[in-house]
Amino acid sequence: MSSTWGEKVKISIFGESHGNAIGVVLDGLPAGEALDFDAIALQMSRRAPGRDLSSTPRKESDVPRIVSGVLNGRTTGAPLCGMIENTNTKSGDYDNLKVVPRPGHADYTAFLRYGGWNDVRGGGHFSGRLTAPLVFAGAVCRQILQRRGVLIGAHVAGIGDQSDTAFDPSHISEDLLIALSSAYFPVIDPEAEKRMRETIEAARMAQDSAGGVVECAAIGVPAGIGDPMFGGIEPVLSSILFGIPACKGVEFGAGFGAAAMRGSENNDAYYYEEEQVKTKTNHAGGILGGISTGMPIVFRAAFKPTPSIGMEQDSVDLTTKSDAKLCVQGRHDPCIVPRAVPAVEAAAAIALINMMI
Amino acid sequence: MSSTWGEKVKISIFGESHGNAIGVVLDGLPAGEALDFDAIALQMSRRAPGRDLSSTPRKESDVPRIVSGVLNGRTTGAPLCGMIENTNTKSGDYDNLKVVPRPGHADYTAFLRYGGWNDVRGGGHFSGRLTAPLVFAGAVCRQILQRRGVLIGAHVAGIGDQSDTAFDPSHISEDLLIALSSAYFPVIDPEAEKRMRETIEAARMAQDSAGGVVECAAIGVPAGIGDPMFGGIEPVLSSILFGIPACKGVEFGAGFGAAAMRGSENNDAYYYEEEQVKTKTNHAGGILGGISTGMPIVFRAAFKPTPSIGMEQDSVDLTTKSDAKLCVQGRHDPCIVPRAVPAVEAAAAIALINMMI
Amino acid sequence: MSSTWGEKVKISIFGESHGNAIGVVLDGLPAGEALDFDAIALQMSRRAPGRDLSSTPRKESDVPRIVSGVLNGRTTGAPLCGMIENTNTKSGDYDNLKVVPRPGHADYTAFLRYGGWNDVRGGGHFSGRLTAPLVFAGAVCRQILQRRGVLIGAHVAGIGDQSDTAFDPSHISEDLLIALSSAYFPVIDPEAEKRMRETIEAARMAQDSAGGVVECAAIGVPAGIGDPMFGGIEPVLSSILFGIPACKGVEFGAGFGAAAMRGSENNDAYYYEEEQVKTKTNHAGGILGGISTGMPIVFRAAFKPTPSIGMEQDSVDLTTKSDAKLCVQGRHDPCIVPRAVPAVEAAAAIALINMMI
Amino acid sequence: MSSTWGEKVKISIFGESHGNAIGVVLDGLPAGEALDFDAIALQMSRRAPGRDLSSTPRKESDVPRIVSGVLNGRTTGAPLCGMIENTNTKSGDYDNLKVVPRPGHADYTAFLRYGGWNDVRGGGHFSGRLTAPLVFAGAVCRQILQRRGVLIGAHVAGIGDQSDTAFDPSHISEDLLIALSSAYFPVIDPEAEKRMRETIEAARMAQDSAGGVVECAAIGVPAGIGDPMFGGIEPVLSSILFGIPACKGVEFGAGFGAAAMRGSENNDAYYYEEEQVKTKTNHAGGILGGISTGMPIVFRAAFKPTPSIGMEQDSVDLTTKSDAKLCVQGRHDPCIVPRAVPAVEAAAAIALINMMI
C-alpha cells in the first residue's frame, strides 16, 4: 500500500500540494460507463476551498483533465487517469518547515521517513489537497454505483461541541442522500448548520481551528456484499477512510456507542416487510460479519481540527536541536470538515465498487 | 482480501468453529527468530474461554501445533503454519440457524453471501473462535518485534458504562505493558476490574450480554515508520482490527474526542528531551500523516455486546418468509471484551511487523 | 508474493519436505461446489513418486486431509485448507548440505537468503514435494472450472532429445484432454512414451538425470477472459508456472518459434464456423493482448533435469571456503517431468479460476 | 493486476495510443535519488519509433514530463508520475477495426472483453506505445539500481532466422552492458546486426514483418535476492515481461535448452574465486530456487512478428457475421524487436528494484 489502494478497481494517487499537478489513475473500471462531467465538477467544487468564510481563501479551479480511459464520454475499460494542474501556488511560505516542524502536521514524521527529501511545500504529498484526486475517483465510482441502485450521501454530523441530527439508520431516503450529496455544508437539521458555522467562525476569530465528525450512509447495497474477516465492509472501508488526512476515528452503526449497550439493545431484530428481510433497528450499520444486511450502511469518521492555526506554537529546531517557537504563516482553513464530506463519500464509493463490481 | 491479510508478512487464516481445525499460515517472517512457546501459550490462554464466570464454560485447550516453518525452535523463513484441532464440539445446537437467523450474528448475511452453503455450526468461519489463530500469529510477531524494542499491551478500557483509567498517552512504561499483556483481565486501575466484572455478571444474570472498549498501546516504535495515505499506520492497523469479529469502532489518539477539540488543544507541541524530539501531549496517538512520531502509538477498538443472549428474540423464518421467535440455546459468553484484548494486541503486532520488517 | 499467490482465489502454500506436514489454504473459492475426492486422489497419485522406475522409490501416501472449508462434500466458501502429513522421512541424509551445497539445488541460495536458518532437509520449502499442495489446489480448482466448461490437460512433450507429437493447437478434443489428464505418463503418441522412458532409464543407469518439456492446453475458456498488460493470461499464468521448482522456461502458442516466423505466417486468420469466430491456425495459443480468443489456450513449460544425481560433482565447502567434492546420497528421481505434468495442469487451473470466477 | 504491477515499488500505467497522453505512476521509490534526465531521454529515444528503416516512420518526441514525486532533481519518496503527451495522432485509419478485427492484434479480444467500448484507435491501451511509460519507469529504476551496483543490458539475440552471439552467461562485463544499454540496435557481434537488418528489410519489402528474441543480463545482483515459489526471480520477472505486448516466451539461463540436457551437464559446479562462491557454468541464469546466486542473471524473451502487415489478410466482419478481407492501412514497424530491447531492460529493472529495495 501507500498511495495505491484497491483490488478490483485500483486507485493510484499522485502529486504534491505545490508540485506541477495532482491526479489519480483508476485501473479496473467497467467499460461503457457514461460519465456525467457536471456531477464530477459538482463533487470537485464541494471539496474545493475558497467558497466561504469557513474555508481557506486560496482559489483552486480543480477542473480535472481526463488524460486516459474515456472516449466519447464513456469509460473504455482502460485505466482512467484524471489530472488537476496546480496553479496559484506560492511556495515561499514553507521554507522553514524542515527546520521547525509544525505541530499536528506530518512535517516531522515525513522528514524522518524520507530523510528530508520530501517536498514540504504545503505539506507535499501529505497535504489535504490530495483529497482532490480522491474525490474525483469517488465521483467516477459513485456514478457507476448509482446506475446499480446504490446512493451515497454524508453530512456534517458535528463541529466542535455542536452536532447535527443523526441519520435514522433504519430509514434513510433517496431524497435525503441526493440533497446531502450535492450540498456544500450538508446537514439534516438546517439549524445545526448555523450553530456549527458559528463554532467555526469563533475558532477562526481566535486564530484557532475546529474538528468534527462526518456521518455517511449508503443505501441500495444489496444484502450479501462483503467477505469475512479482513474482507469485510468495515476493514475495507476503514482502510481507505483513514487514508484521508486528519481522519482519526471510524465507527460503523452504533460504533463506540454499541460498546455501552447490552446485547438485547444492540441486536437488530429481523422482520419481514413485503417479502424483504429487514431489521427493526440498525445498530449494525447495515453490516453483520463484514457483510451487508440490505439495510443502510452507516458509519462515522472523526476529523481532528486543522493543525494549521494562526497562534504561536511550541516546536523544535531540528538543526540546533533546541526548542523553538513557530507561527504558521498564511491564511488557513479553520475547519476542513465540510470539505471532508465529499472525500468521505468518495471513499465509500471506491470501497463499495471494489466489493460490488 | 478476506481471510488473508498483509504484504510483507502475510497471514492466511482458515477454519470453522466446529470444523476439524483452525489455523493460520504466516508467510514472510524473518528467519532465525527463536520462538518462546510459553509466551505463545500464555497468549492463547488469555484468549481461550472457560476461565471464569465472565466467559463461556466450553473448554478449549487451544495448544497450537506448529506444522511448518520452525526448526529447532527457530523460524526457518518458510511459511509458518500453526494449527489448532477443534475438540469438544457439539454441533446439534446449531441446526436451525439457516432457517431462523440469530440477530446480531452473521447467520443471515453469510447465508446470502454463500448461497446457504456456509458452515453455520457455531458461526463457522465467522466465529470469534477464529481469533485463536490471529492471537497465535500475533504471539509470534510480537516476540520478533520485542527483540527490536517494540512492546505492545492493551487493557479493558470499558465494559458497558464502567471504565478503566485511560493510558497517559505520553508516558506509558514497559512495566505497565508487560503486566497488561500477561493478564487475563488487564486493567490499569484494579478497582475498575471489580466494577466491570460486576457489569458483566449483571448482564449474565439477566441472560444478556455486555460490550466494551479495548485500549492498546505500542511503545518503542521508532519515529518514521509508515507511509502516506493508505499506507499509514491508521489505515493499515484498522484494516486488521475491523477483521476481529464484533469490532465496530477504531480510533487513534484522541480519536472522536479530537473532533471536539480546537487545534490549539489537539496539536501536540514538540520539545527536546535528551536530544530526542518528543511531544508534550500525545493526542495524535503517536501518528502524524500515517507515520510514527516516536511517541507511544495508542488506539482504541470498540466491541459490540455478544449477540448470543439467552432471552427470546425476534427474528424471521427464511423458509416460511414470516416473522419468528428465537431462543439461542447453550451457554454463551456474556462479554468477550477481556478475551478480545489479546486479539487486539495481536492485530497491532501483525500490522506493525508488516511496517517495520 | 513468495508462497502466496492469487487475487480472487488466493493460495498460500506451507510446509517443508521433511517437516511435519505440507499443505495449502485456498481463500476465495465459490461456495457450494461439490468436491470429487476420487478425482483429487487421482491427481495426487499422478504427482506422487514411487510408481515406476522413472521416479524415486520413496513412498508417499499423500492423501490430503481436508482441514477446513468443506462441509458434507461441498465448499463452504470459507478458506479451504488441505494438509498432507509427512511420513517416512529420514533426515540423516541431509546433514552436510549447509556446508557443501548441491549444484543445481537451492541449498546455497537459501542459505544466504535465510542466514542459514532454513530447513535444508530434503530441500525444505524449496523441495519439489511442495508441488503436492499445488496439485491439490489445482485439483480442487479444475473441478470447479470443469463445471463451467473448461477442461485442462497436458502431456510430456519431450524428455531430453525425445519428443511427443505436439498438440494441434486449433483442434484439441475433450477426449484427448480427459485421457491425458488422468494418465501417469501422458503422451499423444504412445511410441513417444516408449522412447522417452528409454531416455530416462539411460540417464538413471548413468547415475544422471533428464529434463523435459510439458505442453498444456485448456479448452472451453470463453473468448474475452483476461486483462491487458500485467493482467494478461500470459503474465498471470507464467507467474505461477515459474513457481514450480525446476521450471526455467514458459512459452505460449508458437512461443520462441514465433520469433522466427514472419507476420504473415504467425498471424492467425479469423473465420466464421457456425456463427462462432475462430482462427484457422492458433499460433497465438488462444491469447491476443493477454485476453482469450476462444481458441484452445496452449503453452509449454521447460523443466531442467533433476539436479540430484548420483555421480560425484564439484562444489565448495562454505565453512573452510575451499573447493570440495560432493556425492548426493540416496536414490533420486532421474526425471521429474512426468510428475510435473499434474503440477502444470494445476497451475493452469489456479490461474484460470482467478481470471474467470 | 492488469496495468498495475509491483509490491514495494508499484507501477500503474495509463493511456491509450491515440488518447491525450500516456504515463505511469511509480509508488514506493526511495527518496533522495538523483535522476539523470539525459539517461532517461536516451532510453526513451531507444524505444521511440522513426529512427531508421527498420521502424515505423511516425514521429514521437516522447519526452516525459515529470508531474510529481521529484523536487530539485531528486525523488521525494512520493509517487512519481511521468507523462507523455500524444501528438501527431491521426485516428482516421482505425475506424474499421471493431468491424473487421486485425489478425494477431487484440482488436477482437478487446472488443469482447470491453463490450466494444474500448478505444480501438492505434490499438488503444493494447498498443506497443504503452511500452513508453514502461521504459520511462525502468529508466528511473535502473538508475537507482546502478547506484547499488546493478547493471542491466540486453541485445537483439535474434531476428527471424538470424542470430547474434549469445552472452557468455558466466562472464558478462560492465563495459558490454553499458555499451548494449545505450545502443539503438544492440548486438554483441556487429556482423549480426547487418544480417538481422537485412532480414528486417526483406520482410519490409515483402510487406511483411519479422519477430525475434531479446537476451538480457543483470550483473551485480547480490547472492540471496528473491523468495521461494511464486516470489522467485523467474515468476516475478516473467509476470512483467509477459506484460510487454507481443512477448510470447520467456526463459531463464539455459531455459528450454536445459530440458534437453542431462543433470550432469546442466548443474553449475561451484568453486571459490577470491573468497567468492562462483559457478563454472551458469545454466541456471543466476537463479536457483528463485533466488540469485550472485552470478549474472540471464534471460531471453521471444517477440512475435508485428501483426500489422501490408499484405491482405483473412478476417471476419463482426457485424455481418461473415468472412472478410482486411488490408492494414498506414506504414507500420516491420520489426519491433530492437525497440523492445529497452522495454525488456526496463522490466528487469522494475522487477529487481521490487526484490532488492
Side-chain angles (χ1 to χ4, degrees):
Chain A
M1 282 196 276
S2 88
S3 305
T4 309
W5 191 94
E7 299 204 344
K8 290 184 189 166
V9 177
K10 288 185 172 68
I11 60 168
S12 182
I13 290 181
F14 57 89
E16 285 134 326
S17 179
H18 287 48
N20 293 324
I22 56 177
V24 60
V25 182
L26 292 98
D27 189 3
L29 289 175
E33 298 286 339
L35 291 191
D36 177 339
F37 291 96
D38 289 338
I40 292 173
L42 170 63
Q43 294 306 321
M44 297 311 289
S45 73
R46 292 176 78 208
R47 195 216 68 87
R51 292 189 316 269
D52 57 31
L53 287 176
S54 72
S55 67
T56 165
R58 172 180 155 191
K59 274 278 181 322
E60 296 177 13
S61 58
D62 283 358
V63 181
R65 171 192 175 203
I66 306 291
V67 176
S68 66
V70 178
L71 188 65
N72 302 327
R74 285 179 188 265
T75 57
T76 63
L80 191 167
C81 176
M83 211 172 81
I84 303 161
E85 300 289 330
N86 282 331
T87 53
N88 193 18
T89 54
K90 296 182 303 178
S91 297
D93 298 338
Y94 297 98
D95 287 351
N96 200 37
L97 300 186
K98 287 186 185 175
V99 180
V100 182
R102 295 169 297 175
H105 275 289
D107 302 341
Y108 173 63
T109 55
F111 180 86
L112 290 176
R113 173 67 180 80
Y114 297 110
W117 295 107
N118 58 304
D119 181 354
V120 79
R121 300 169 301 161
H125 190 60
F126 292 85
S127 166
R129 177 143 178 74
L130 271 295
T131 54
L134 187 76
V135 167
F136 167 73
V140 170
C141 293
R142 66 198 298 170
Q143 296 183 14
I144 298 171
L145 287 172
Q146 203 161 338
R147 223 160 277 146
R148 285 150 181 81
V150 176
L151 268 182
I152 296 167
H155 66 116
V156 181
I159 300 284
D161 56 0
Q162 296 300 318
S163 56
D164 188 20
T165 305
F167 280 126
D168 171 354
S170 313
H171 301 93
I172 299 176
S173 70
E174 288 198 14
D175 287 351
L176 176 60
L177 293 191
I178 289 168
L180 293 176
S181 62
S182 57
Y184 287 91
F185 199 121
V187 287
I188 294 176
D189 171 11
E191 286 302 306
E193 177 181 349
K194 210 176 142 192
R195 292 193 312 272
M196 295 192 285
R197 281 188 183 274
E198 285 165 5
T199 301
I200 296 170
E201 182 60 13
R204 194 180 70 84
M205 294 302 288
Q207 301 208 57
D208 212 333
S209 64
V213 173
V214 174
E215 186 181 43
C216 185
I219 61 172
V221 177
I225 299 294
D227 275 312
M229 304 206 79
F230 318 115
I233 294 176
E234 294 109 330
V236 171
L237 233 169
S238 73
S239 73
I240 186 165
L241 284 169
F242 276 119
I244 303 175
C247 178
K248 297 298 278 188
V250 170
E251 60 181 357
F252 295 85
F256 279 87
M261 290 187 196
R262 283 200 169 174
S264 57
E265 291 170 88
N266 185 62
N267 282 355
D268 301 310
Y270 291 111
Y271 72 104
Y272 265 102
E273 186 179 285
E274 293 170 15
E275 300 241 319
Q276 276 241 314
V277 175
K278 300 211 163 179
T279 61
K280 293 176 191 174
T281 51
N282 186 14
H283 298 117
I287 312 163
L288 287 175
I291 298 175
S292 59
T293 62
M295 296 295 291
I297 291 173
V298 182
F299 62 92
R300 269 167 302 283
F303 290 89
K304 69 179 185 183
T306 324
S308 290
I309 52 176
M311 63 178 78
E312 190 184 71
Q313 295 180 81
D314 288 332
S315 183
V316 289
D317 185 314
L318 296 169
T319 53
T320 62
K321 296 202 171 182
S322 59
D323 294 350
K325 296 287 181 187
L326 173 87
C327 280
V328 178
Q329 300 298 322
R331 296 179 68 180
H332 292 280
D333 221 336
C335 184
I336 53 88
V337 179
R339 294 173 53 207
V341 170
V344 168
E345 293 171 1
I350 298 164
L352 286 172
I353 208 172
N354 265 280
M355 308 185 89
M356 287 183 62
I357 290 284
Chain B
M1 284 197 274
S2 88
S3 305
T4 309
W5 190 95
E7 299 205 344
K8 290 182 188 167
V9 177
K10 288 185 173 67
I11 61 167
S12 182
I13 290 181
F14 57 89
E16 282 133 328
S17 179
H18 286 47
N20 292 324
I22 56 177
V24 59
V25 182
L26 293 97
D27 188 3
L29 289 174
E33 298 286 338
L35 291 191
D36 178 340
F37 291 96
D38 290 339
I40 292 172
L42 170 62
Q43 293 307 321
M44 298 310 290
S45 73
R46 291 176 79 209
R47 194 216 67 89
R51 293 188 317 269
D52 58 30
L53 286 177
S54 72
S55 66
T56 165
R58 172 180 155 191
K59 274 278 180 323
E60 297 177 11
S61 57
D62 282 357
V63 180
R65 172 193 176 201
I66 306 291
V67 175
S68 67
V70 177
L71 188 65
N72 302 325
R74 283 179 189 265
T75 57
T76 62
L80 191 166
C81 176
M83 211 173 81
I84 304 160
E85 299 288 331
N86 282 332
T87 52
N88 193 19
T89 53
K90 295 182 302 179
S91 296
D93 297 339
Y94 297 98
D95 286 350
N96 200 35
L97 300 186
K98 285 185 186 176
V99 179
V100 182
R102 295 169 297 175
H105 274 290
D107 301 342
Y108 172 64
T109 55
F111 181 86
L112 290 177
R113 173 68 179 79
Y114 298 109
W117 294 108
N118 58 304
D119 181 354
V120 78
R121 299 169 300 160
H125 190 60
F126 292 85
S127 167
R129 177 144 178 74
L130 270 294
T131 55
L134 187 75
V135 167
F136 167 74
V140 170
C141 293
R142 66 199 297 170
Q143 296 183 15
I144 298 171
L145 287 173
Q146 203 161 339
R147 224 161 274 146
R148 286 150 179 80
V150 176
L151 267 181
I152 296 165
H155 66 116
V156 182
I159 299 283
D161 56 0
Q162 296 299 319
S163 56
D164 189 20
T165 305
F167 280 126
D168 171 354
S170 313
H171 301 93
I172 299 175
S173 72
E174 287 198 14
D175 287 352
L176 176 60
L177 293 191
I178 290 168
L180 292 176
S181 63
S182 57
Y184 287 91
F185 199 121
V187 287
I188 294 175
D189 171 11
E191 287 302 306
E193 177 181 351
K194 210 177 140 192
R195 290 195 312 272
M196 294 193 286
R197 281 190 182 275
E198 286 166 5
T199 299
I200 296 171
E201 181 59 12
R204 193 182 70 82
M205 295 301 288
Q207 301 209 60
D208 213 333
S209 64
V213 174
V214 174
E215 187 181 44
C216 184
I219 61 173
V221 177
I225 299 293
D227 277 312
M229 303 205 80
F230 317 114
I233 295 177
E234 295 109 329
V236 172
L237 234 168
S238 73
S239 73
I240 185 165
L241 284 168
F242 276 118
I244 303 175
C247 179
K248 297 298 277 190
V250 170
E251 59 179 358
F252 295 85
F256 279 87
M261 291 188 195
R262 283 199 169 174
S264 57
E265 292 170 87
N266 184 62
N267 282 355
D268 303 308
Y270 291 111
Y271 71 103
Y272 265 102
E273 186 180 284
E274 293 169 15
E275 301 242 318
Q276 276 241 311
V277 175
K278 299 213 164 177
T279 60
K280 293 175 190 174
T281 51
N282 186 14
H283 297 117
I287 312 164
L288 286 174
I291 299 175
S292 58
T293 63
M295 296 295 290
I297 290 171
V298 182
F299 63 92
R300 269 167 303 284
F303 290 89
K304 69 179 184 184
T306 324
S308 291
I309 54 175
M311 63 178 78
E312 191 185 71
Q313 296 180 80
D314 288 332
S315 183
V316 289
D317 185 314
L318 295 170
T319 52
T320 62
K321 298 203 171 182
S322 59
D323 293 350
K325 298 284 181 186
L326 173 88
C327 279
V328 179
Q329 300 298 322
R331 295 180 66 180
H332 292 281
D333 222 335
C335 183
I336 54 88
V337 179
R339 293 171 55 205
V341 170
V344 168
E345 293 171 2
I350 297 164
L352 286 171
I353 207 172
N354 265 281
M355 308 186 88
M356 288 183 62
I357 290 285
Chain C
M1 283 195 276
S2 88
S3 305
T4 308
W5 192 94
E7 299 205 345
K8 290 184 191 167
V9 177
K10 289 185 171 67
I11 61 168
S12 182
I13 291 179
F14 58 89
E16 283 134 327
S17 179
H18 286 49
N20 293 325
I22 56 177
V24 61
V25 182
L26 293 97
D27 189 3
L29 288 175
E33 298 286 338
L35 292 191
D36 177 339
F37 292 96
D38 289 340
I40 293 172
L42 170 62
Q43 294 306 322
M44 298 310 290
S45 72
R46 292 176 79 208
R47 194 217 68 89
R51 293 189 316 268
D52 58 30
L53 286 176
S54 71
S55 66
T56 165
R58 172 180 156 191
K59 273 280 182 321
E60 297 177 12
S61 58
D62 283 358
V63 180
R65 172 194 175 202
I66 306 291
V67 175
S68 67
V70 178
L71 188 66
N72 302 327
R74 284 181 187 264
T75 57
T76 63
L80 191 166
C81 176
M83 211 173 80
I84 304 160
E85 300 288 330
N86 282 330
T87 53
N88 192 19
T89 55
K90 296 182 303 178
S91 296
D93 298 338
Y94 297 98
D95 286 351
N96 200 36
L97 299 186
K98 286 185 186 176
V99 180
V100 183
R102 295 168 297 176
H105 276 287
D107 301 343
Y108 172 64
T109 55
F111 180 86
L112 291 176
R113 172 67 180 81
Y114 298 109
W117 295 108
N118 58 304
D119 182 354
V120 80
R121 299 168 302 162
H125 189 62
F126 292 84
S127 167
R129 177 145 179 72
L130 271 294
T131 55
L134 187 75
V135 167
F136 167 73
V140 170
C141 293
R142 65 199 298 169
Q143 296 183 15
I144 298 171
L145 287 173
Q146 202 161 339
R147 224 161 275 147
R148 286 150 179 80
V150 176
L151 267 182
I152 296 166
H155 66 116
V156 182
I159 299 284
D161 56 359
Q162 297 299 320
S163 56
D164 188 20
T165 305
F167 280 125
D168 171 355
S170 313
H171 301 92
I172 299 176
S173 70
E174 288 197 15
D175 287 352
L176 175 61
L177 293 192
I178 288 168
L180 293 177
S181 62
S182 58
Y184 288 91
F185 201 120
V187 287
I188 294 175
D189 170 12
E191 286 303 304
E193 176 181 351
K194 212 175 140 192
R195 290 194 313 272
M196 294 193 284
R197 281 190 182 274
E198 286 166 5
T199 300
I200 296 170
E201 182 60 11
R204 193 181 69 83
M205 294 301 288
Q207 303 207 55
D208 213 334
S209 64
V213 174
V214 174
E215 187 181 43
C216 184
I219 60 172
V221 177
I225 299 294
D227 276 312
M229 304 205 80
F230 317 115
I233 295 177
E234 295 110 330
V236 171
L237 234 168
S238 74
S239 73
I240 186 165
L241 284 168
F242 276 119
I244 303 175
C247 179
K248 298 297 277 189
V250 170
E251 59 180 359
F252 294 85
F256 279 87
M261 291 186 195
R262 282 198 169 175
S264 57
E265 290 170 89
N266 184 63
N267 282 354
D268 301 309
Y270 291 111
Y271 72 103
Y272 266 102
E273 187 180 284
E274 292 170 17
E275 301 242 317
Q276 277 242 311
V277 175
K278 300 211 164 181
T279 60
K280 294 175 190 174
T281 51
N282 186 14
H283 297 117
I287 312 164
L288 286 175
I291 299 175
S292 59
T293 63
M295 295 296 289
I297 290 172
V298 182
F299 62 93
R300 270 166 302 283
F303 291 89
K304 69 179 185 182
T306 324
S308 291
I309 54 176
M311 63 178 77
E312 190 185 72
Q313 296 179 82
D314 289 332
S315 182
V316 289
D317 185 315
L318 296 169
T319 53
T320 63
K321 297 202 170 182
S322 60
D323 294 350
K325 296 286 182 187
L326 172 88
C327 280
V328 179
Q329 300 299 321
R331 296 178 68 180
H332 293 280
D333 221 336
C335 183
I336 52 88
V337 179
R339 293 172 54 205
V341 170
V344 168
E345 294 171 1
I350 297 164
L352 286 172
I353 208 172
N354 264 280
M355 308 184 89
M356 287 183 61
I357 289 287
Chain D
M1 282 197 275
S2 87
S3 304
T4 309
W5 190 95
E7 300 205 344
K8 291 183 189 168
V9 177
K10 287 184 173 68
I11 60 168
S12 182
I13 290 180
F14 58 89
E16 283 135 326
S17 179
H18 286 48
N20 293 324
I22 56 176
V24 60
V25 182
L26 292 97
D27 188 4
L29 289 175
E33 298 286 338
L35 291 191
D36 178 340
F37 292 96
D38 289 340
I40 292 172
L42 170 61
Q43 293 306 321
M44 298 310 289
S45 73
R46 292 176 78 209
R47 195 217 68 88
R51 293 187 318 267
D52 59 30
L53 286 176
S54 71
S55 66
T56 165
R58 171 179 156 192
K59 274 277 183 318
E60 297 177 12
S61 57
D62 283 357
V63 181
R65 170 193 176 201
I66 306 290
V67 176
S68 67
V70 178
L71 188 66
N72 302 326
R74 284 179 188 265
T75 57
T76 63
L80 191 167
C81 175
M83 210 173 80
I84 304 160
E85 299 290 330
N86 281 331
T87 53
N88 193 19
T89 53
K90 295 182 304 178
S91 296
D93 298 337
Y94 297 97
D95 287 349
N96 200 36
L97 299 185
K98 286 186 186 176
V99 179
V100 183
R102 295 169 297 176
H105 275 289
D107 302 341
Y108 173 63
T109 54
F111 180 85
L112 291 177
R113 173 67 180 80
Y114 297 110
W117 295 107
N118 59 302
D119 182 354
V120 80
R121 299 170 300 161
H125 190 60
F126 292 85
S127 166
R129 177 142 179 75
L130 271 294
T131 55
L134 187 76
V135 166
F136 167 73
V140 170
C141 293
R142 67 199 297 171
Q143 295 182 16
I144 298 172
L145 287 172
Q146 203 161 339
R147 225 161 272 146
R148 286 150 180 80
V150 176
L151 267 182
I152 296 166
H155 66 116
V156 182
I159 300 283
D161 57 359
Q162 297 299 318
S163 56
D164 187 21
T165 306
F167 280 126
D168 171 355
S170 313
H171 301 92
I172 298 176
S173 71
E174 287 197 13
D175 287 351
L176 176 59
L177 293 191
I178 289 168
L180 292 177
S181 62
S182 58
Y184 288 91
F185 200 119
V187 287
I188 295 175
D189 170 12
E191 285 303 306
E193 177 182 349
K194 211 177 140 191
R195 290 194 312 273
M196 294 192 285
R197 281 189 182 274
E198 286 166 5
T199 300
I200 296 171
E201 182 60 13
R204 193 180 70 83
M205 294 301 288
Q207 301 208 58
D208 213 332
S209 64
V213 174
V214 173
E215 187 182 44
C216 183
I219 62 172
V221 177
I225 299 294
D227 277 312
M229 305 205 79
F230 317 114
I233 295 176
E234 294 110 330
V236 171
L237 233 168
S238 73
S239 73
I240 185 164
L241 284 168
F242 277 119
I244 303 175
C247 178
K248 297 297 278 189
V250 169
E251 60 180 359
F252 294 85
F256 279 87
M261 291 186 195
R262 283 198 168 175
S264 57
E265 291 170 89
N266 184 63
N267 282 354
D268 302 309
Y270 291 111
Y271 71 103
Y272 266 102
E273 186 180 283
E274 292 170 14
E275 302 241 318
Q276 277 241 312
V277 175
K278 299 212 165 179
T279 60
K280 293 175 191 174
T281 51
N282 186 15
H283 297 116
I287 312 163
L288 286 174
I291 299 174
S292 59
T293 64
M295 296 296 289
I297 290 171
V298 183
F299 63 92
R300 269 168 303 282
F303 290 89
K304 68 179 185 185
T306 324
S308 291
I309 54 176
M311 63 177 77
E312 190 184 71
Q313 295 180 80
D314 289 332
S315 183
V316 287
D317 184 313
L318 296 169
T319 51
T320 62
K321 298 203 172 184
S322 60
D323 293 351
K325 296 286 180 186
L326 174 87
C327 280
V328 179
Q329 301 298 321
R331 296 180 67 181
H332 293 280
D333 222 335
C335 184
I336 53 89
V337 179
R339 294 172 53 207
V341 170
V344 168
E345 294 171 2
I350 298 165
L352 285 172
I353 207 172
N354 265 280
M355 309 185 88
M356 287 183 62
I357 290 286

